[in-house]
Amino acid sequence: MKIIGENFIGDKISAKGNSVFSTFNPKKNVSTPWQFTEATPNEIEEACFLAYQAFKIYRKTKDNERALFLREIANEIDTIKELEEVYCTESGLSKERFQTEKERTLFQLRMFADFLESRNWRNEIIDNQAPILKKTYIPLGPVAVFGASNFPLAYSTAGGDTTSALAAGCPVIVKSHPMHAATNDLVAQAILRAVKNTNMPDGVFSSLNGISHQTGQALVLHRHIKAVGFTGSVQGGRALMDLAAGREEPIPVFAEMGSVNPVVISNLSLERKALFWAKAYADSISQGGGQFCTSPGIIIAEKNKHFDNFARLLSTELNKIETACMLHPNIKKQFINKRDHIIALDSVRSLSKIKKEHDNYIQQSVVIVDGNSFLKNKALREEVFGSFCVLVECKDQYEILDIIESLEGQLTGTIIAEKEEDIQDLKEVFQYRVGRLILNGVSTGVRVCKAMHHGGPYPASSTPFFTAVGTDAIKRWIRPITYQNFY
Amino acid sequence: MKIIGENFIGDKISAKGNSVFSTFNPKKNVSTPWQFTEATPNEIEEACFLAYQAFKIYRKTKDNERALFLREIANEIDTIKELEEVYCTESGLSKERFQTEKERTLFQLRMFADFLESRNWRNEIIDNQAPILKKTYIPLGPVAVFGASNFPLAYSTAGGDTTSALAAGCPVIVKSHPMHAATNDLVAQAILRAVKNTNMPDGVFSSLNGISHQTGQALVLHRHIKAVGFTGSVQGGRALMDLAAGREEPIPVFAEMGSVNPVVISNLSLERKALFWAKAYADSISQGGGQFCTSPGIIIAEKNKHFDNFARLLSTELNKIETACMLHPNIKKQFINKRDHIIALDSVRSLSKIKKEHDNYIQQSVVIVDGNSFLKNKALREEVFGSFCVLVECKDQYEILDIIESLEGQLTGTIIAEKEEDIQDLKEVFQYRVGRLILNGVSTGVRVCKAMHHGGPYPASSTPFFTAVGTDAIKRWIRPITYQNFY
């Protein structure tokens, strides 16, 4: 299968623009051989109009027809021989990670197919008093999807947003992530083959390239786009939220913008299980180079010898782990800037000796700061995207609660405690700051299922009402309607 | 029971400001004797801080405790002897309307009480694979509620927004509607007695007065306010949406902003049942002086002798109805301006002879315009708040579909057709423009129940996902959270 490098406007390939770009191989620290042409304003207009036309047909498809379509997408992706190599080349991620992520992508497509075939997934409600009322859900219209830099498959072209939007009955226009446009190219071709194989309307899926902000902005502002899915930074997500809110017809932006995923460890857990948790957290912090939205970035505990011991163990464990290749030189640069800014603060003590970080590799590391300084410095509460963790030593439990209360919205929060400890006050405060509260575990690893909530108060998500993972993710693309007197 | 005229900051009354205002008796065309003091910035701060403190306690109350609280509010409102007189004086609405609206208000309070006591109203989902996941819902935090001018009880101080937010576990600060601040005063006192009687935390309810925009703006911008409920004009709702979207932490605004509630009547219905539908629509258009968000403002049909006949009958029926007193001189003024602007258009022909409209009274009226002119002039598609209806005569069914497609989002749409007529194409297009689609009925009359959806695509509502009426209205004030490994 060939990488085409053009925009996919429905079943048409198109490269009318003059601006081209390549992706990058972070492990070899060189550009990839593939070139992509940015979409022009006319091509964007064309894709949006085609999606608008396709919506009129696609919204009438039956649930089982869309289920078939999703399964066909999964099957087509599964046949792309070049996918592993292209994915690994563009992302610096491992073959094992590719396998996991591909399986997750196929699983999501098939899960939504099953979901569409399940009984009354729309939760239709009928009130039989006269006049009879039936409440159900209908799709919103064409959706623009912005893929994640850190999930070239599972949260990109055929990822959670696209899959749930297509399941809902909404056409999708993907803005390919400029760091993995070749992976997008292959997956987009697979989706378009599935469109043909299952007789879905032309324009139900398009993919546009763009390395500048213009392509994305034009999509969000387009009158035919009715909702936006985004996974990325707070800065990027907020920019799209502001654009969408300022439209003549404001539209929802579902932005999953990451978080620092704070962890509170109890005294007893530190005393009894310091090594166990140090190993678990070294593992979690370093997973995928820390480039997960659920990567733990803050660990809070009372200052005492047990926390000192834990800090030492954690830093030792992290030192054992090989340096990690970041997704892109820009991501490494941002990581280094933010981390080194924090390390340079007077109140911060680094627990890891940073050795030479060649090319796009970074070293996993931890620092420690006292609770009072943490409360005073906003930079310490902001996400450092990559393997880096701030340990916060507090003078007492009240300071821990103060810190939790001072946090912005988070995707996850974690409490590590022993059975006999009373965690009620902490749980009470913590739950109002997070979308998922975990007891005695790690925040990385998000199970894809009905009971999952992946989202949280702003700025973890643009809106706290919806999840980006699991079957409830479909609720972002459908809205209620009541039919009166129709039955 | 005495009208106090001050702000209610929890159980404290407070009138530190210098700006006072009175409400107005539209029937007698004079000011009422009651005076109200606008809240100062300090009083607003005080109420928000108190609500924030109250939330920490209120969010821990049990469902049946909040159910008791809601029932007690209903009981307390039911004992206010002066309510009928004050309501009718301030609104110009009839005693019958007062009764209906009061019953609806008490019904809503008791319905949410029952709902809180129903099995698993949060739709908790448990996934028993390890680690166990439980997904449930928790309240957002303090909510600011802006009451509706046209529902001094059922969509104001203790109306749908307040009731559903209190049911959810959110403290409420009501910004009293300046047209019925005395009604608010009495109802606020009733709620505050219920707070005491059921030992709810001080600050779970406050009521602030304001005739300028400042009180409302300060509330929406306050860091402790986490969501907003609003019922009113598009202009007002959009202003609050923009304010909330521009905050450092954007918050949701649930604005129900009204609509023109278009109706399409088929040829056969006009031929067979012109008088029946003319009577039904004269009734619906004139109900409450047309001051309902579901008042039908556009009736569309094919141009032919049957539509001519219907137009004549409708105008005759409307002429039989007594002139209606509007809620306030400003509302009459806006009505007259918009209506007369439309009547003055070259393409528009008035079917009603407008007689003298004394004081705050207006005459119910209809005009007729051809489909092409309707499509060209945006003013004809905008809501004229009051009894006024635009008949649109189209050259064929395609023009009818064009018009429906050209409409902005609507709360309701109605199709009048005979059984043997094929309405599939119309239904298909119409449903994507409305929150509720009605067959052979009128849009006025919104049943309060689980199957009701009262909302719609923008600008009918700020967001299409939520309803302002029925038990699902509680979903605006709660958000999902997943507990991992807690059970």
Side-chain angles (χ1 to χ4, degrees), chain A residues 415-484:
Chain A
I415 299 171
I416 308 287
E418 293 291 283
K419 273 208 175 120
E420 60 265 53
E421 290 176 298
D422 178 6
I423 56 162
Q424 284 315 306
D425 287 350
L426 179 59
K427 184 187 171 194
E428 169 62 23
V429 171
F430 218 167
Q431 65 193 345
Y432 287 96
R433 289 291 173 278
V434 305
R436 179 165 52 113
L437 192 64
I438 300 152
L439 182 62
N440 291 332
V442 294
S443 45
T444 43
V446 183
R447 189 150 93 235
V448 181
C449 67
K450 178 88 180 152
M452 178 50 70
H453 182 64
H454 188 67
Y458 183 88
S461 303
S462 50
T463 147
F465 298 104
F466 298 93
T467 178
V469 174
T471 44
D472 278 354
I474 202 171
K475 292 183 179 172
R476 299 173 297 170
W477 323 114
I478 54 176
R479 57 121 179 139
I481 183 169
T482 290
Y483 298 95
Q484 178 170 321

XYZ file of all heavy atoms in Angstrom, chain A residues 415-484:
555
model
N -5.474 7.687 45.109
C -5.194 7.595 46.546
C -4.540 6.246 46.813
O -5.077 5.207 46.429
C -6.495 7.701 47.379
C -7.192 9.050 47.133
C -6.204 7.499 48.861
C -8.586 9.149 47.755
N -3.381 6.291 47.439
C -2.724 5.050 47.868
C -2.840 5.015 49.394
O -2.360 5.940 50.064
C -1.229 5.030 47.467
C -1.036 5.345 45.976
C -0.567 3.716 47.872
C -1.433 4.275 45.019
N -3.512 3.999 49.904
C -3.719 3.942 51.365
C -3.917 2.510 51.799
O -4.303 1.650 51.004
C -4.925 4.779 51.747
N -3.662 2.260 53.042
C -3.891 0.938 53.618
C -5.327 0.850 54.126
O -5.965 1.866 54.423
C -2.906 0.682 54.764
C -1.453 0.578 54.292
C -1.194 -0.685 53.472
O -1.066 -1.771 54.053
O -1.137 -0.572 52.229
N -5.801 -0.389 54.215
C -7.211 -0.624 54.547
C -7.674 0.083 55.804
O -8.784 0.598 55.878
C -7.462 -2.133 54.685
C -7.805 -2.772 53.362
C -8.678 -4.002 53.549
C -9.115 -4.549 52.194
N -8.662 -5.925 51.982
N -6.827 0.084 56.832
C -7.299 0.635 58.110
C -7.265 2.155 58.160
O -7.695 2.749 59.149
C -6.483 0.042 59.274
C -4.986 0.308 59.214
C -4.219 -0.834 58.554
O -4.598 -1.205 57.422
O -3.253 -1.339 59.154
N -6.776 2.794 57.101
C -6.708 4.255 57.122
C -8.031 4.880 56.671
O -8.699 4.365 55.780
C -5.558 4.734 56.220
C -4.192 4.389 56.820
C -3.048 4.764 55.895
O -2.974 4.221 54.778
O -2.227 5.598 56.313
N -8.350 5.997 57.285
C -9.590 6.707 56.934
C -9.286 7.680 55.800
O -8.553 8.650 55.980
C -10.107 7.464 58.165
C -11.361 8.264 57.830
O -11.877 8.133 56.695
O -11.813 9.015 58.709
N -9.856 7.411 54.640
C -9.578 8.293 53.493
C -10.807 9.108 53.098
O -10.849 9.716 52.033
C -9.084 7.478 52.275
C -10.104 6.397 51.907
C -7.714 6.876 52.520
C -9.915 5.841 50.500
N -11.825 9.132 53.956
C -13.086 9.780 53.566
C -12.936 11.263 53.226
O -13.462 11.740 52.216
C -14.155 9.584 54.645
C -14.760 8.190 54.644
C -15.110 7.684 53.247
O -15.828 8.334 52.503
N -14.558 6.524 52.864
N -12.220 12.016 54.065
C -12.071 13.455 53.798
C -11.327 13.692 52.492
O -11.687 14.557 51.700
C -11.309 14.151 54.943
C -12.167 14.277 56.177
O -13.385 14.002 56.093
O -11.612 14.642 57.238
N -10.286 12.907 52.296
C -9.489 13.052 51.082
C -10.314 12.701 49.849
O -10.329 13.434 48.852
C -8.253 12.148 51.178
C -7.313 12.168 49.981
C -6.773 13.563 49.713
C -6.155 11.179 50.207
N -11.035 11.596 49.929
C -11.878 11.169 48.810
C -12.915 12.243 48.490
O -13.157 12.585 47.321
C -12.573 9.851 49.158
C -13.393 9.283 48.025
C -14.217 8.056 48.438
C -15.174 7.680 47.318
N -16.211 6.729 47.750
N -13.523 12.780 49.534
C -14.573 13.786 49.378
C -14.057 14.991 48.577
O -14.690 15.448 47.636
C -15.076 14.205 50.759
C -15.985 15.415 50.812
C -17.293 15.237 50.056
O -17.719 14.097 49.858
O -17.867 16.270 49.661
N -12.898 15.495 48.946
C -12.347 16.670 48.261
C -11.822 16.295 46.868
O -12.062 16.991 45.885
C -11.220 17.299 49.111
C -10.499 18.388 48.322
C -11.798 17.871 50.390
N -11.155 15.169 46.821
C -10.465 14.755 45.589
C -11.454 14.526 44.437
O -11.207 14.892 43.286
C -9.682 13.466 45.866
C -8.339 13.383 45.181
C -7.416 12.391 45.556
C -7.980 14.255 44.169
C -6.170 12.293 44.934
C -6.733 14.159 43.548
C -5.840 13.184 43.926
N -12.594 13.903 44.748
C -13.522 13.527 43.675
C -14.056 14.738 42.908
O -14.394 14.623 41.728
C -14.670 12.676 44.223
C -15.566 13.404 45.199
C -16.490 12.456 45.950
O -16.671 11.308 45.574
N -17.092 12.947 47.022
N -14.085 15.892 43.574
C -14.579 17.082 42.878
C -13.509 17.733 42.004
O -13.745 18.774 41.403
C -15.196 18.075 43.870
C -16.528 17.563 44.353
C -16.639 16.858 45.549
C -17.655 17.703 43.561
C -17.855 16.330 45.949
C -18.869 17.175 43.945
C -18.969 16.495 45.143
O -20.170 15.954 45.522
N -12.356 17.142 41.948
C -11.285 17.662 41.088
C -10.972 16.761 39.904
O -10.176 17.118 39.056
C -9.991 17.839 41.916
C -10.020 18.969 42.899
C -10.019 20.307 42.182
N -10.215 21.424 43.075
C -11.397 21.839 43.519
N -12.498 21.232 43.146
N -11.490 22.879 44.311
N -11.568 15.574 39.855
C -11.117 14.578 38.871
C -12.286 13.917 38.139
O -13.418 13.911 38.621
C -10.273 13.464 39.554
C -9.102 14.070 40.322
C -11.133 12.609 40.491
N -11.966 13.322 36.988
C -12.946 12.541 36.246
C -12.937 11.072 36.644
O -13.914 10.363 36.453
N -11.791 10.625 37.181
C -11.686 9.225 37.629
C -10.851 9.207 38.885
O -9.766 9.796 38.914
C -11.046 8.364 36.525
C -10.856 6.894 36.896
C -10.570 6.001 35.677
N -9.466 6.497 34.866
C -8.281 5.884 34.731
N -8.047 4.730 35.344
N -7.337 6.404 33.979
N -11.369 8.579 39.912
C -10.643 8.493 41.176
C -10.244 7.036 41.395
O -11.093 6.133 41.328
C -11.527 8.990 42.328
C -10.816 9.236 43.656
C -9.776 10.353 43.539
C -11.830 9.591 44.750
N -8.960 6.835 41.640
C -8.398 5.481 41.705
C -7.908 5.205 43.114
O -7.295 6.073 43.745
C -7.214 5.367 40.710
C -7.704 5.640 39.286
C -6.522 4.008 40.815
C -6.645 6.217 38.376
N -8.185 4.007 43.596
C -7.651 3.604 44.885
C -6.598 2.525 44.664
O -6.854 1.529 43.974
C -8.784 3.075 45.780
C -8.379 2.650 47.196
C -7.827 3.821 48.001
C -9.566 2.018 47.928
N -5.420 2.727 45.224
C -4.353 1.725 45.171
C -4.112 1.159 43.772
O -4.293 -0.044 43.528
C -4.652 0.588 46.166
C -4.536 1.086 47.601
O -3.774 2.023 47.871
N -5.285 0.488 48.510
N -3.708 2.067 42.893
C -3.390 1.664 41.531
C -2.590 2.767 40.862
O -2.062 3.649 41.544
N -2.499 2.681 39.543
C -1.857 3.762 38.786
C -2.869 4.278 37.759
O -3.778 3.562 37.360
C -0.564 3.304 38.072
C 0.513 2.938 39.073
C -0.850 2.144 37.121
N -2.664 5.539 37.365
C -3.646 6.179 36.483
C -3.466 5.775 35.023
O -4.417 5.827 34.246
C -3.543 7.697 36.609
O -2.187 8.112 36.594
N -2.269 5.370 34.625
C -2.075 4.930 33.244
C -2.826 3.617 33.035
O -2.961 2.807 33.954
C -0.572 4.729 32.931
O 0.035 4.046 34.040
C 0.124 6.057 32.737
N -3.291 3.441 31.791
C -4.121 2.262 31.495
C -5.580 2.630 31.646
O -6.093 2.685 32.762
N -6.238 2.911 30.532
C -7.637 3.355 30.554
C -8.461 2.275 29.879
O -8.375 2.088 28.666
C -7.786 4.696 29.797
C -9.219 5.193 29.891
C -6.822 5.737 30.358
N -9.233 1.537 30.655
C -10.016 0.443 30.067
C -11.136 1.019 29.198
O -11.826 1.947 29.605
C -10.577 -0.444 31.181
C -11.203 -1.709 30.644
C -11.088 -2.854 31.642
N -12.256 -2.963 32.498
C -12.206 -2.953 33.828
N -11.055 -2.809 34.461
N -13.307 -3.098 34.537
N -11.283 0.430 28.017
C -12.327 0.898 27.094
C -13.608 0.125 27.391
O -13.750 -1.040 27.005
C -11.900 0.673 25.624
C -12.982 1.180 24.679
C -10.576 1.375 25.344
N -14.527 0.761 28.119
C -15.782 0.082 28.453
C -16.829 1.104 28.865
O -16.543 2.295 28.980
C -15.560 -0.932 29.575
S -15.125 -0.165 31.146
N -18.020 0.635 29.077
C -19.168 1.480 29.423
C -18.952 2.235 30.734
O -19.423 3.357 30.896
C -20.405 0.574 29.516
C -21.699 1.243 29.901
C -22.452 1.771 28.700
C -23.755 2.446 29.106
N -24.159 3.495 28.154
N -18.281 1.612 31.693
C -18.138 2.220 33.017
C -16.956 3.182 33.109
O -16.713 3.772 34.160
C -18.002 1.123 34.081
N -16.226 3.348 32.007
C -15.064 4.247 32.044
C -15.512 5.691 31.864
O -16.380 5.986 31.064
C -14.077 3.855 30.941
C -12.841 4.750 30.855
S -11.990 4.995 32.449
C -11.303 3.347 32.725
N -14.908 6.577 32.633
C -15.026 8.003 32.329
C -13.631 8.558 32.103
O -12.807 8.550 33.005
C -15.736 8.763 33.451
C -15.904 10.217 33.098
N -16.678 10.614 32.039
C -15.382 11.345 33.626
C -16.628 11.936 31.931
N -15.845 12.402 32.881
N -13.405 9.026 30.887
C -12.129 9.649 30.560
C -12.441 11.085 30.157
O -12.868 11.364 29.033
C -11.429 8.891 29.434
C -10.030 9.370 29.189
N -9.033 9.201 30.111
C -9.470 10.033 28.146
C -7.901 9.731 29.632
N -8.152 10.257 28.449
N -12.252 11.977 31.109
C -12.606 13.380 30.966
C -12.460 13.968 32.353
O -11.902 13.324 33.241
N -12.961 15.142 32.565
C -12.877 15.716 33.901
C -13.146 17.191 33.837
O -13.326 17.755 32.759
N -13.178 17.857 35.020
C -13.417 19.302 35.031
C -12.334 20.031 34.225
O -11.199 19.541 34.123
C -13.329 19.653 36.518
C -13.539 18.375 37.258
C -13.002 17.300 36.372
N -12.679 21.178 33.671
C -11.728 21.996 32.914
C -10.509 22.280 33.773
O -10.654 22.546 34.944
C -12.402 23.314 32.515
C -11.532 24.197 31.659
C -11.524 24.080 30.285
C -10.703 25.148 32.248
C -10.711 24.884 29.503
C -9.881 25.954 31.475
C -9.889 25.817 30.104
O -9.084 26.604 29.335
N -9.278 22.235 33.245
C -8.927 22.045 31.835
C -8.610 20.599 31.421
O -8.060 20.406 30.340
C -7.673 22.899 31.702
C -6.990 22.748 33.024
C -8.079 22.585 34.043
N -8.972 19.611 32.249
C -8.760 18.230 31.798
C -9.555 17.993 30.509
O -9.048 17.397 29.561
C -9.180 17.246 32.886
N -10.807 18.467 30.519
C -11.637 18.422 29.318
C -12.265 19.791 29.112
O -12.384 20.571 30.051
C -12.799 17.446 29.468
O -12.366 16.167 29.766
N -12.741 20.020 27.892
C -13.439 21.272 27.612
C -14.766 21.316 28.342
O -15.239 22.372 28.730
C -13.669 21.411 26.110
O -14.252 20.230 25.590
N -15.397 20.190 28.530
C -16.671 20.109 29.232
C -16.664 18.854 30.096
O -16.180 17.809 29.657
C -17.873 20.108 28.259
O -18.926 19.305 28.806
C -17.509 19.533 26.902
N -17.192 18.943 31.317
C -17.080 17.791 32.224
C -18.118 16.706 31.960
O -18.080 15.662 32.591
C -17.330 18.423 33.601
C -18.226 19.583 33.329
C -17.818 20.108 31.961
N -19.036 16.920 31.010
C -20.203 16.043 30.888
C -19.949 14.771 30.084
O -20.751 13.853 30.126
C -21.366 16.791 30.238
C -21.834 17.970 31.034
C -21.522 19.260 30.659
C -22.581 17.774 32.183
C -21.957 20.352 31.403
C -23.018 18.852 32.939
C -22.697 20.145 32.545
N -18.852 14.735 29.329
C -18.701 13.652 28.359
C -17.357 12.950 28.491
O -16.381 13.541 28.943
C -18.870 14.200 26.948
C -20.241 14.778 26.706
C -20.489 16.133 26.897
C -21.291 13.964 26.312
C -21.757 16.664 26.688
C -22.560 14.487 26.100
C -22.786 15.842 26.286
N -17.335 11.702 28.072
C -16.116 10.909 28.100
C -15.567 10.736 26.684
O -16.335 10.695 25.721
C -16.368 9.524 28.732
O -15.141 8.767 28.698
C -17.420 8.717 27.965
N -14.245 10.637 26.571
C -13.606 10.406 25.276
C -13.336 8.920 25.062
O -12.950 8.514 23.972
C -12.303 11.196 25.183
N -13.519 8.123 26.093
C -13.221 6.685 26.013
C -14.448 5.892 26.470
O -15.115 6.278 27.422
C -12.005 6.326 26.900
C -11.773 4.817 26.938
C -10.740 7.035 26.411
N -14.692 4.785 25.791
C -15.820 3.931 26.166
C -17.061 4.257 25.358
O -17.105 5.256 24.636
N -18.069 3.413 25.491
C -19.250 3.556 24.637
C -19.990 4.875 24.861
O -20.619 5.394 23.944
C -20.228 2.378 24.843
O -20.351 2.128 26.243
C -19.731 1.128 24.150
N -19.922 5.429 26.073
C -20.598 6.708 26.308
C -20.018 7.848 25.460
O -20.632 8.914 25.364
C -20.538 7.095 27.792
C -21.617 6.402 28.611
O -22.470 5.721 28.020
O -21.614 6.555 29.846
N -18.856 7.623 24.840
C -18.257 8.649 23.982
C -19.176 9.012 22.819
O -19.083 10.101 22.251
C -16.897 8.186 23.458
N -20.089 8.124 22.477
C -21.028 8.400 21.383
C -21.981 9.546 21.746
O -22.505 10.220 20.854
C -21.828 7.113 21.020
C -22.390 7.210 19.595
C -22.929 6.844 22.024
C -22.991 5.910 19.088
N -22.187 9.767 23.031
C -23.139 10.810 23.461
C -22.707 12.212 23.028
O -23.514 13.142 23.061
C -23.302 10.775 24.985
C -23.999 9.520 25.483
C -24.191 9.575 26.995
C -24.915 8.333 27.493
N -24.933 8.285 28.976
N -21.437 12.356 22.654
C -20.962 13.671 22.216
C -21.500 14.057 20.850
O -21.464 15.227 20.464
C -19.420 13.675 22.170
C -18.796 13.408 23.520
C -17.296 13.256 23.407
N -16.927 12.101 22.588
C -15.702 11.848 22.183
N -14.716 12.677 22.478
N -15.439 10.767 21.472
N -21.958 13.075 20.082
C -22.326 13.335 18.674
C -23.812 13.144 18.404
O -24.238 13.146 17.255
C -21.500 12.425 17.752
C -20.100 12.202 18.200
C -19.556 11.028 18.623
C -19.040 13.168 18.307
N -18.233 11.197 18.975
C -17.891 12.508 18.786
C -18.962 14.550 18.038
C -16.675 13.150 19.010
C -17.745 15.198 18.265
C -16.625 14.503 18.738
N -24.597 12.898 19.443
C -26.046 12.760 19.274
C -26.734 13.705 20.238
O -26.150 14.099 21.247
C -26.522 11.304 19.542
C -26.055 10.824 20.933
C -26.040 10.362 18.460
C -26.564 9.444 21.323
N -27.954 14.084 19.910
C -28.680 14.977 20.815
C -30.131 14.517 20.897
O -30.644 13.859 19.990
C -28.589 16.413 20.323
C -29.097 16.636 18.903
C -30.221 17.646 18.881
N -30.707 17.886 17.534
C -31.984 18.010 17.252
N -32.901 17.876 18.189
N -32.387 18.253 16.024
N -30.783 14.844 22.028
C -32.141 14.357 22.210
C -33.141 15.052 21.289
O -32.954 16.191 20.886
C -32.464 14.703 23.676
C -31.329 15.485 24.205
C -30.285 15.630 23.165
N -34.188 14.326 20.965
C -35.349 14.891 20.270
C -36.568 14.141 20.767
O -36.484 12.945 21.076
C -35.207 14.751 18.732
C -36.407 15.407 18.016
C -35.058 13.305 18.303
C -36.229 15.561 16.512
N -37.683 14.844 20.906
C -38.927 14.185 21.285
C -39.912 14.256 20.123
O -40.093 15.321 19.526
C -39.525 14.845 22.543
O -38.689 14.533 23.664
C -40.940 14.335 22.824
N -40.483 13.098 19.780
C -41.552 13.035 18.775
C -42.884 12.977 19.517
O -43.063 12.122 20.383
C -41.386 11.807 17.880
C -40.097 11.824 17.097
C -38.953 11.173 17.567
C -40.000 12.515 15.893
C -37.759 11.216 16.869
C -38.801 12.561 15.182
C -37.686 11.913 15.673
O -36.506 11.962 14.986
N -43.761 13.895 19.179
C -45.039 13.976 19.888
C -46.157 13.544 18.967
O -46.294 14.082 17.860
C -45.260 15.422 20.362
C -46.595 15.645 21.071
C -46.654 17.021 21.725
O -45.669 17.502 22.275
N -47.810 17.651 21.682
